[in-house]
Structure formats: C-alpha cells, structure tokens
Amino acid sequence: MLRSGLARGAAPLPFPFVGPLVSDELLVPTLRDFRWWQVRHAVPVARFDVGPGLGDASAALTSAGVEWTTDRTDVVDLTDATPETLVPSMKRGARQALRAAQRNGVEVRPAVPGEVATLLPQVLDESYSSRGVPSPYPGGVGERVERWASGRDDVYAATALVAGEPAGVIVALANQPVVTGWAGGTLRAYRSANPSTVLYHDLLRWSLDRGHTAVDLVGHVDEGISRFKKSLGATEKPYTSVVSSPLPHGARAAALSLVHSPDRLLRSRRVAVAPRVL
C-alpha cells in the first residue's frame, strides 16, 4: 500500500511475487475476509498480482467477488541450464551485446554500501519519466531497500560498472525457488556500452549457481523491454492481477481512476508503507 496524507491506495507495479501465502483451497475465503479488513482499515482498493504458478484461477476469483484480469511476465527457465549453456541459449543480439560490453570495459560486482541507495531511485526515475509519468516510488526507496537487504543472503544486489564508473544496479529476491528480478536497470547515459545485458547475465549466473529453477524478470512493460528480456532466453508467462474492494462497482472505478492518475502522483509525495503478513 502507498500512503498520501490520510489516504491509502494500491501501489503500482513493479512488485514481486513472494510465493504462496495461503493454500489454493483457502484463496477464496481469504479474499472474502480481506474485504472486511479493508473496511476496518479504510482501504478502498487493493491490488494483488498472483504469480504464474497458480494457473487458471478465474472461477475461484469470480466466486470470491473480486475483479481480475490476466497479464504477462517473462521468465527464464534454468531447470536444465548450465553455466556453459547460458550464453548460447540467448538470442544473437544479446550475445553481441555481451561481446560489445566486454570491449567497452563493462563489469559487474556486488553492490557496495551506498550504491543501491543512490542508483536505484535514479534508474527508476529515468525509467518512468521516459514513459511520461513520474516514478511512484519515494526518493528514499534505494536507502530503504539497501537497509532491509543488509546481511541477507537471499537478496541479490549488484552494480554494473562502465570503465570503473557505477552505471546501474539491480535488486533480485531469492527466497523462493524462482528468483524475482524485482527492480533496477542502468542509467541512460551509459546504455550505449550495453551494461544492462551484462547485469542480467550475472543475475542468471548467480541464480543458477544457487540452484534456483527460474528467474522471473517481472512484468511486460512494453514491447521493447519484452524483446530485451526474451533475448536473454526468457519466455512469456501469464499471471492474474486481482483488484479487491468493498465499494460498489461505480465507486470502485472512480477510486481506481484517482489512484492511477499521473497528475495525483505529481501533486503529492507518496510514502511507502511496509507490508505485513498476519
């Protein structure tokens, strides 16, 4: 959830799939009970993205009284991969980008203190502004993520360097068999050196070395980004997006329109509220 003043609203993507929180047979009663929680805590609209592993849940979600739509993400399957097959399984453009990056002096290493705090909000700001909307994340998102990830071995945080200069960062969550490549990227000023391809290749190699079965590259933002992800060996997978609200349909539509208004994002500085699992 995101908070602006006294109001709370649904947070926009990207947010990671965190693995199953309830068994399949408890999905419907949990969603029904959650609406009572929304009433008690004055949360008019909440959104869930159900991971690709659930399959076809349309009947269950309809009976739960929530609205749902299908979306898509890109996943790299590591089940039969080896370190030697990672690069050959990529498309020609990605292999060429890796070679070009090597010529341009690109390298990747674990992020040192201060890099996620500094680079992550910069990368997010550039990514959203290039699409004509402001980043929904507060300016301190990088600092919060870095503080939360400190000392954990199930979080991948790496920095791409171009000729020794920090050019980008990526954060991935690895407490499930499928790694979630949550957020990050490279600064536009360095993109001609191809650091993004090296950064994602290092994430795939790290995930493979740890024995993970796949890496979810999280979301289908646009065709250009999807092509980049597919060039790394990813395939498209469907998932379900759920909107839960105790409001009547007309009021719910108005609330969703307000939540997702770019003008509202510009007018208010939103502060993220950390989720809790009860």
Side-chain angles (χ1 to χ4, degrees), residues 13 16 23 48 54 79 92-93 131 156 206 220 234 255 266 272:
L13 289 174
S23 57
F48 305 93
L54 185 66
T79 304
R92 179 182 179 185
R131 289 163 178 79
Y156 169 90
W206 180 86
H220 186 100
L266 282 170

Side-chain angles (χ1 to χ4, degrees), residues 108 111 116 120 156-160 168-172 181-185 199-200 203 217:
V108 174
V116 172
L120 184 59
Y156 169 90
T159 300
V169 68
I170 190 169
V171 177
W182 174 55
L199 198 58
Y200 277 90
L203 168 59
L217 300 181

